[in-house]
């Protein structure tokens, strides 16, 4: 441990700590602009200068390591004068109108820094520039006239996401942030994660959706969960007047540690679908507004008319819904009505093979997402982490610069191929034969082909991780082959399957994994929630029997229905989700739903009561009744 003094306060910190970090631990404020707690210290803006005893000049606290006996002063006349001068230079370089800005109110770090130093005018005449505004991107705008060249956006794209889209071009006063080799942002390799926007300290990167919708003092922050996929990222949903203004990542969440992708940040906001605000019942071949009582009576009558029939009711549910809703659904249709066709919209393709292996082994066998942070070689089989479950892909991509090797095996096109050391495209025999060839290469003499190269990379790794996705996780044979391959790599190797949507894991633990086959069922019930129905689902349900749908938005599916029940969407309901590595997490209710819209669980309970069925609420205990691929925690 290192002992030092900051502003007369004795402090003990770990070796390697910077002066800025030590001051923060002691709750001593030092202003910064280029620094960010999740990024490597850069030392570019020099706003964090401090006075250090026996040092000839002022020092940037963000890059200066502490040493025993160090005496630091953070608020002397010399320091204050230097900080004003630094800010004066920043203001002179671009057209920053902080003293006159009517938009910001605690949101702009440059404005806050200026006011903190008592600045209300420009000591130096600004050198006006006319950088072209880049408005080509669908989600945000790049305004280099407001940029302070702190490079936080560049570093976030590199260090947090591993995409390396942004850079600084030109020199001196002409320096500017560019995408790739100077192409418009909208035509670049940008993957729209928005991390650059979140870390920008000024208005250089402007979020299109939330701009001018409320200052930081006018909005409310709600930490909750993204339900876009099974990674289970923490998000900060920012609201004003019962409306979502913006979605940011949660820097303190243990799963994503502040990283977020397009599906979590922007996709929930670009919603132009028509909201269903009242129950609908088909009359004379047209859907008409109805009361809740009438709609539920219609469904109850149709279900009761099939009592005792072998194929009476087929029921399917979205895995975007909370565990409470999934289990209530199972308790009603499978346990209560004895339906032999009770499943999810995923058809088990994300979990059936993985679940079957766990139950055959009678023990968990998978690793965790955290293993990706320390993996020195990653083998991906049938999982496109550039376009799905992107945050897991970020964990891999950002470690490539630290030496992590990447091997991709996939019969389909894979977005991570461009980042891989080795790409193997299986032939007609598919992924299973590729895994067998790789396993053979690990077992015996290493062949001089692509499988031999992959085997050498995996053998040389100290902490290899194998990730499998939807192209393989539904098949027991290939999952077992991957398990055997992992075993050959030693005790430090890990196998991790990327599940489907937010509650794919929970649905599998409830046994909701069979393929949905609604043919010959006279009554079909779809608990869609706020999910968009797939063309495949629409095709399977076309011209079938009586169709009841509980949904948040109008769609081609609700247009086909005989009864439509309006239910809450993701920010309007509380509930629990189990992510890909078994972490049980709770999502909060943030927005109050419209008057006639009801919670998904409430609807299922009401229907069960009308059918005279006593449902089971013990959803949490049911998560562990079957052996899981990874322990639920």
């Amino acid at each position: 441990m290192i002992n030092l003094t900051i502003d007369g306060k004795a402090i003990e910190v770990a070796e390697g700590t910077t002066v800025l970090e030590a001051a923060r631990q002691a709750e001593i404020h030092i202003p910064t602009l280029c620094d960010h707690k999740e990024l490597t210290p850069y030392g570019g803006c020099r706003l964090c200068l401090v006075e250090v005893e026996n040092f000839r000049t002022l020092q940037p606290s963000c890059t200066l390591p502490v040493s025993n006996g160090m005496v630091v002063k953070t608020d002397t006349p010399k320091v204050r004068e230097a900080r004003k001068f630094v800010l004066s230079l920043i203001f002179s370089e671009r057209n920053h109108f902080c003293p006159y800005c009517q938009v910001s109110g605690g949101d702009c770090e440059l404005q806050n820094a200026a006011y903190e130093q008592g600045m209300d005018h420009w000591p130096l005449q600004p050198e006006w520039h006319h950088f072209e505004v880049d408005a080509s991107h669908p989600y945000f705008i790049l305004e280099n006239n407001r940029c302070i060249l702190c490079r936080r956006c560049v570093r976030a794209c590199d260090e947090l996401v591993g995409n390396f889209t942004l850079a600084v071009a030109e020199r001196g006063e002409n320096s500017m942030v560019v995408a790739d080799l100077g192409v418009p942002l909208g035509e670049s390799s940008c993957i729209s994660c928005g991390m650059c926007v979140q870390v920008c300290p000024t208005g250089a990167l402007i979020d299109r959706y939330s701009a001018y919708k409320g200052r930081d003092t006018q909005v409310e922050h709600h930490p909750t969960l993204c339900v876009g996929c099974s990674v289970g990222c923490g998000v900060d949903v920012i609201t004003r007047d019962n409306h979502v203004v913006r979605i940011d990542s949660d820097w303190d969440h243990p799963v994503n540690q502040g990283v977020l992708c397009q599906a979590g940040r922007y996709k929930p906001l670009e919603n132009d679908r028509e909201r269903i605000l009242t129950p609908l019942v088909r009359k004379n071949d047209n859907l008409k507004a109805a009361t809740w009582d009438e709609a539920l009576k219609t469904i109850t009558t149709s279900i009761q008319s099939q009592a005792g029939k072998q194929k009476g009711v087929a029921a399917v549910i979205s895995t975007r819904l909370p565990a409470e809703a999934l289990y209530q659904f199972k308790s009603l249709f499978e346990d209560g009505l004895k339906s032999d066709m009770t499943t999810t919209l995923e058809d088990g393709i994300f979990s059936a093979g993985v679940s079957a292996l766990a139950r055959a082994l009678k023990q968990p066998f998978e690793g965790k997402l955290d293993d990706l942070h320390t993996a020195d070689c990653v083998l991906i089989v049938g999982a496109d982490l550039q376009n799905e479950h992107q945050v897991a892909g970020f964990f891999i991509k950002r470690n490539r610069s630290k030496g992590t090797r990447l091997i991709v095996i996939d019969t389909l096109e894979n977005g991570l191929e461009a980042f891989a050391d080795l790409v193997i495209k299986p032939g007609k025999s598919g992924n299973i034969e590729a895994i067998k060839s790789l396993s053979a290469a690990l077992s015996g003499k290493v062949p001089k082909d692509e499988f031999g190269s992959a085997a050498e990379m995996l053998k040389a790794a100290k902490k290899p991780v194998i990730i499998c996705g939807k192209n393989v996780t539904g098949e027991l044979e290939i999952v077992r082959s991957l398990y055997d391959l992992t075993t050959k790599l030693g005790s430090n190797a890990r196998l991790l399957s990327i599940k489907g949507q937010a509650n794919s894991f929970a649905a599998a633990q409830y046994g909701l994994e069979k393929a949905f086959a609604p043919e010959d069922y006279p009554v079909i019930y779809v608990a869609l929630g706020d999910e968009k129905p797939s063309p495949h689902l629409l095709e399977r349900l076309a011209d079938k029997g009586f169709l009841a749908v509980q949904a948040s938005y109008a769609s081609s599916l609700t247009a086909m229905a005989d009864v439509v029940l309006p239910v809450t969407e993701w920010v309007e309901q509380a509930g629990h989700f189990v992510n890909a590595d078994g972490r049980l997490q709770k999502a909060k209710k943030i927005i109050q739903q419209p008057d006639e819209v009801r919670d998904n669980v409430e609807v299922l309970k009401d229907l069960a009561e009308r059918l005279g069925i006593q449902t089971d609420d013990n959803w949490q205990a049911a998560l562990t009744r079957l052996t899981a691929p990874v322990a639920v925690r």
Side-chain angles (χ1 to χ4, degrees):
M1 299 298 285
I2 301 295
N3 293 284
L4 72 157
T5 302
I6 303 180
D7 290 347
K9 187 174 183 179
I11 302 169
E12 184 179 63
V13 295
E15 187 175 358
T17 303
T18 65
V19 170
L20 178 60
E21 291 168 339
R24 286 173 174 166
Q25 290 178 32
E27 298 183 344
I28 296 172
H29 174 66
I30 298 176
T32 63
L33 280 175
C34 72
D35 183 76
H36 191 282
K37 69 173 187 172
E38 299 298 330
L39 301 175
T40 302
Y42 175 63
C45 72
R46 287 307 199 257
L47 187 61
C48 69
L49 291 171
V50 294
E51 198 170 342
V52 184
E53 195 173 276
N54 298 323
F55 278 57
R56 185 173 59 85
T57 61
L58 299 178
Q59 300 293 311
S61 62
C62 68
T63 57
L64 180 65
V66 297
S67 60
N68 263 322
M70 178 181 278
V71 177
V72 180
K73 296 178 181 177
T74 70
D75 193 24
T76 66
K78 186 178 181 180
V79 168
R80 289 194 294 271
E81 182 182 358
R83 288 176 182 161
K84 283 189 177 181
F85 181 66
V86 166
L87 286 169
S88 298
L89 291 177
I90 292 174
F91 281 121
S92 72
E93 291 176 343
R94 304 285 162 98
N95 51 340
H96 302 293
F97 296 98
C98 292
Y100 313 106
C101 180
Q102 298 299 312
V103 176
S104 182
D107 307 69
C108 176
E109 294 180 37
L110 178 60
Q111 184 186 65
N112 294 344
Y115 287 154
E116 183 180 318
Q117 299 304 317
M119 298 180 69
D120 57 7
H121 67 284
W122 293 297
L124 300 173
Q125 173 61 34
E127 179 68 27
W128 306 119
H129 284 266
H130 299 286
F131 292 104
E132 184 176 346
V133 176
D134 186 347
S136 62
H137 199 281
Y139 297 124
F140 45 86
I141 295 168
L142 174 59
E143 163 64 297
N144 271 294
N145 298 290
R146 302 289 179 88
C147 179
I148 61 173
L149 298 171
C150 68
R151 290 170 171 79
R152 272 163 58 162
C153 59
V154 177
R155 290 145 61 206
C157 190
D158 296 355
E159 297 176 20
L160 300 181
V161 182
N163 215 57
F164 299 93
T165 296
L166 300 177
V168 174
E170 304 298 340
R171 296 181 178 180
E173 66 180 13
N174 294 319
S175 297
M176 61 185 293
V177 173
V178 298
D180 295 333
L181 296 178
V183 303
L185 261 176
E187 301 172 15
S188 72
S189 62
C190 172
I191 55 173
S192 303
C193 67
M195 293 309 303
C196 56
V197 181
Q198 186 167 340
V199 301
C200 179
T202 66
L205 282 160
I206 306 167
D207 183 288
R208 284 180 179 273
Y209 186 86
S210 65
Y212 309 110
K213 288 189 176 180
R215 301 177 180 179
D216 194 56
T217 54
Q218 298 171 318
V219 298
E220 297 177 340
H221 292 256
H222 310 270
T224 188
L225 299 176
C226 171
V227 297
C229 76
S230 61
V231 174
C233 295
V235 294
D236 179 16
V237 177
I238 298 157
T239 65
R240 184 182 184 188
D241 298 331
N242 204 45
H243 292 283
V244 176
V245 171
R246 188 173 76 249
I247 300 174
D248 280 345
S249 60
D250 182 351
W251 295 111
D252 299 319
H253 196 271
V255 173
N256 55 316
Q257 300 168 10
V259 185
L260 198 60
C261 71
Q262 177 189 8
R265 190 187 303 273
Y266 293 119
K267 286 298 183 182
L269 302 179
E270 53 177 14
N271 189 356
D272 57 357
R273 294 179 290 169
E274 178 189 352
R275 191 69 192 267
I276 303 171
L277 298 174
T278 185
L280 304 171
V281 174
R282 187 168 298 279
K283 298 175 181 178
N284 299 321
D285 206 32
N286 291 305
L287 285 172
K288 301 292 185 180
T291 64
W292 271 99
D293 184 62
E294 181 184 0
L296 289 170
K297 276 184 178 178
T298 303
I299 297 173
T300 302
T301 300
S302 295
I303 292 175
Q304 288 174 334
S305 69
Q306 306 303 318
K309 294 183 180 180
Q310 185 177 3
K311 285 193 172 184
V313 181
V316 65
I317 188 170
S318 167
T319 49
R320 279 178 58 90
L321 295 178
E324 291 88 339
L326 289 171
Y327 192 65
Q328 191 67 213
F329 171 86
K330 170 186 168 61
S331 184
L332 167 58
F333 289 101
E334 185 173 276
D335 302 336
L337 292 172
K338 307 302 179 185
S339 169
D340 61 354
M341 183 47 60
T342 303
T343 188
T344 73
L345 293 170
E346 293 184 351
D347 290 332
I349 61 174
F350 294 99
S351 57
V354 175
S355 298
L357 180 58
R359 288 153 202 171
L361 295 173
K362 297 182 179 179
Q363 64 179 13
F365 65 91
E366 287 193 18
K368 297 179 174 61
L369 288 167
D370 286 345
D371 294 321
L372 295 176
H373 299 307
T374 57
D376 53 359
C377 184
V378 179
L379 168 62
I380 298 179
V381 184
D384 186 356
L385 301 184
Q386 180 75 347
N387 297 305
E388 299 173 357
H389 301 77
Q390 287 184 320
V391 169
F394 298 166
F395 295 162
I396 300 168
K397 288 162 55 181
R398 69 190 191 186
N399 284 338
R400 294 283 291 109
S401 60
K402 301 176 184 177
T404 297
R405 311 298 296 275
L406 176 60
I407 307 164
V408 175
I409 298 177
D410 204 334
T411 56
L412 305 176
E413 290 299 312
N414 193 300
L416 281 185
E417 291 177 7
F419 299 87
D421 296 279
L422 179 63
V423 177
I424 298 176
K425 285 296 183 183
K428 294 181 179 179
S429 53
N431 290 313
I432 183 63
E433 291 303 319
I435 296 304
K436 288 180 178 179
S437 297
L438 181 54
S439 182
L442 284 169
S443 299
K445 184 178 178 179
V446 178
K448 294 184 180 299
D449 60 11
E450 55 192 6
F451 294 105
S453 299
E456 288 179 347
M457 288 185 200
L458 290 167
K459 279 183 176 180
K462 295 181 179 179
K463 294 183 177 180
V465 173
I466 299 175
I467 301 178
C468 54
K470 67 180 180 181
N471 296 337
V472 299
T473 48
E475 302 176 33
L476 175 59
E477 181 186 8
I478 192 167
V479 175
R480 181 173 282 280
S481 296
L482 287 169
Y483 171 74
D484 293 339
L485 182 65
T486 308
T487 304
K488 286 182 180 180
L489 291 172
S491 59
N492 288 331
R494 298 289 183 268
L495 174 62
L496 174 64
S497 68
I498 294 296
K499 292 20 174 223
Q501 297 202 79
N503 248 338
S504 181
F505 191 117
Q509 288 306 107
Y510 294 151
L512 300 173
E513 294 181 290
K514 65 181 66 172
F516 182 50
E519 293 78 11
D520 302 323
Y521 286 86
V523 176
I524 302 169
Y525 192 97
V526 182
L528 188 69
D530 59 7
E531 185 171 347
K532 293 181 179 179
S534 68
H536 183 49
L537 177 66
L538 295 174
E539 183 181 341
R540 285 188 289 184
L541 294 179
D543 301 320
K544 294 297 187 293
F546 177 88
L547 176 62
V549 179
Q550 62 180 67
S552 305
Y553 295 95
S555 66
S556 298
L557 179 63
T558 60
M560 294 163 48
D562 295 284
V563 178
V564 179
L565 305 176
V567 291
T568 51
E569 63 167 348
W570 73 286
V571 285
E572 297 169 349
Q573 61 191 2
H576 289 79
F577 294 81
V578 186
N579 80 335
D581 60 7
R583 191 186 296 264
L584 179 62
Q585 305 181 101
K586 185 175 182 179
K588 298 179 180 178
K589 178 174 180 174
I590 295 167
I591 298 295
Q592 181 60 42
Q593 72 264 31
D595 290 343
E596 286 296 302
V597 172
R598 296 173 63 179
D599 183 83
N600 284 277
V601 174
E602 179 187 343
V603 171
L604 292 168
K605 283 189 172 183
D606 194 343
L607 181 58
E609 185 177 340
R610 291 168 181 264
L611 290 166
I613 296 171
Q614 181 64 46
T615 55
D616 181 4
D617 291 327
N618 204 359
W619 62 269
Q620 188 165 358
L623 286 172
T624 56
R625 287 175 189 163
L626 298 175
T627 303
V630 61
V632 178
R633 65 194 198 282

